[in-house]
Every structure is written in structure tokens, then in C-alpha cells.
Amino acid sequence: GQQLNQSPQSMFIQEGEDVSMNCTSSSIFNTWLWYKQDPGEGPVLLIALYKAGELTSNGRLTAQFGITRKDSFLNISASIPSDVGIYFCAAETSGSRLTFGEGTQLTVNP
Amino acid sequence: GAVVSQHPSRVICKSGTSVKIECRSLDFQATTMFWYRQFPKQSLMLMATSNEGSKATYEQGVEKDKFLINHASLTLSTLTVTSAHPEDSSFYICSASGGGTAQHFGDGTRLSIL
């Protein structure tokens, strides 16, 4: 099936640092999304991207839909302790179904 | 933002029991609901897609007679794990989408089968 390769798998950073993570695929997608999941909870939508080349911000978060439609990245600026969690990229396939990346575990040290 | 409520949040029951999980969209009409399964330290795996008033579409390898899905209204979908066994223990998460919008997720149900 269609797979998303998400990297890095985990990150350990200091508070205040910027973070970047990305997803790539061999398949073309029309929609890319980024979610954050805290332990024991469902994923929360951070940013949705619907157009190739689109760059969208949500507060300290910025995400881009790659021009080839095969990749996307998420940047977090000036990280804070509450940014800790698992970040998932997701891409929409036929029938509005989502395929998810493997996740990036983010740890922020105060 | 869109709110999806999932109930119960946690279930512990004996092997052989059937368990029903509810997923409700609270402030929008969900034309499509999805059910996912997530094992520890792994990503979400789509189990099935549910459209209101029609039969669910199951992903390859998911037993439809094991995981019964009902989507009777635009705000409610249910997943019933029939005759659950320990290997069915997992974190089950629903999501809802209305009119082509992005999926919003419930808070999940931790199912533990003894």
C-alpha cells in the first residue's frame, strides 16, 4: 500500500530551539495533514494542506505541501515544553481515507 | 473547532465479551466516520470507513464479522468488537469528516481484554 516515510523518528531538543520534521512518499497525494498526539489521547489536527506548494502557518507551526505532491514538512519555532508529544503526518487517499506516517516523538528539555 | 466525542474511554473485560464503542460528532454532521486501531508506539492503522446509511468499507485484513460498524445517523457511528480476545486489546480511535473537511479525531478507547 501507499506508505509515508516520516523522519526523524525521535528528537530531543532544548526549550527555545526550532524543530523540523518531514514526510516523503513515492506516491502523489492531494492533501497532506499534520497531527499531534498526546499520550492516551486521539490525534489533534495542527495544519491541513490542500495545494501543492502551499505554505501554511498556525502560530509557531509552519507546514508546507511539497511541489511534487510527494512530501511535506512541519517546522516548530521556539519550542516550549508543551510541544512534547508525537507528531504524525498524514496524506489523504481515495475515499478521504488517511494513511499515516510512523510519527516523530518530540521531547523538549526545559 | 470540530469536536468528536468517543465513549467509553477505557474498557476492561473478560475474553469472549462483546464491546461497543461510540463515536459522536458534536458540532457538525459527519458524512463519513473512520475507525482506527493503534498499538503501543505505533502509528494509526485504518480499519474501516463508515458512511451514514450504508455498509462500512473494511481495509484488507480486517474481519468485518469481528468488528461490526454501524453508522445510523450523521452524528453517530458505533464499533462493536465481537467475542473479544486478548489479541484484540488495543487503542481504538474514531474520526469524523463532514463535507470534504479534514478528519477530526475522538480521544480514543483503550480496550483491555483479560
Side-chain angles (χ1 to χ4, degrees):
Chain A
Q2 297 161 315
Q3 291 200 342
L4 303 184
N5 301 306
Q6 185 171 349
S7 66
Q9 190 174 25
S10 62
M11 301 184 74
F12 298 84
I13 62 170
Q14 293 297 124
E15 183 177 358
E17 290 183 358
D18 297 344
V19 171
S20 184
M21 58 193 79
N22 70 85
C23 271
T24 61
S25 175
S26 58
S27 301
I28 291 174
F29 295 101
N30 292 324
T31 301
W32 282 88
L33 307 112
W34 285 91
Y35 289 89
K36 182 190 177 200
Q37 186 178 29
D38 291 328
E41 298 183 11
V44 173
L45 179 65
L46 299 175
I47 293 179
L49 302 159
Y50 300 104
K51 189 176 177 181
E54 179 181 356
L55 183 70
T56 297
S57 293
N58 177 9
R60 295 178 294 107
L61 277 61
T62 302
Q64 184 157 30
F65 189 153
I67 197 72
T68 64
R69 294 196 286 155
K70 293 182 179 181
D71 63 318
S72 177
F73 72 73
L74 174 71
N75 286 344
I76 305 173
S77 63
S79 59
I80 59 178
S82 62
D83 290 333
V84 165
I86 303 177
Y87 292 79
F88 289 101
C89 64
E92 192 172 285
T93 61
S94 61
S96 300
R97 289 148 65 231
L98 292 182
T99 186
F100 280 81
E102 291 302 310
T104 296
Q105 173 72 62
L106 178 63
T107 301
V108 180
N109 297 314
Chain B
V3 179
V4 176
S5 173
Q6 192 170 336
H7 178 80
S9 59
R10 183 168 185 117
V11 180
I12 302 173
C13 57
K14 293 181 180 180
S15 184
T17 306
S18 292
V19 178
K20 180 185 280 188
I21 303 170
E22 291 188 349
C23 181
R24 294 180 184 273
S25 57
L26 298 184
D27 56 356
F28 67 104
Q29 292 188 322
T31 51
T32 308
M33 288 185 168
F34 303 85
W35 288 94
Y36 295 82
R37 185 171 179 174
Q38 186 179 32
F39 290 107
K41 299 190 184 300
Q42 293 189 20
S43 189
L44 284 77
M45 295 298 294
L46 180 65
M47 298 174 66
T49 302
S50 168
N51 290 297
E52 185 264 339
S54 61
K55 290 184 178 179
T57 302
Y58 290 81
E59 296 298 302
Q60 192 173 7
V62 178
E63 299 176 59
K64 62 179 182 180
D65 294 330
K66 174 77 171 177
F67 300 100
L68 301 179
I69 292 172
N70 183 278
H71 191 163
S73 76
L74 285 172
T75 60
L76 174 65
S77 176
T78 60
L79 167 68
T80 302
V81 183
T82 62
S83 187
H85 292 286
E87 60 266 28
D88 297 322
S89 299
S90 189
F91 192 50
Y92 293 86
I93 314 173
C94 71
S95 72
S97 173
T101 60
Q103 291 181 33
H104 293 271
F105 287 80
D107 274 340
T109 297
R110 174 74 58 194
L111 177 61
S112 300
I113 308 299
L114 305 178

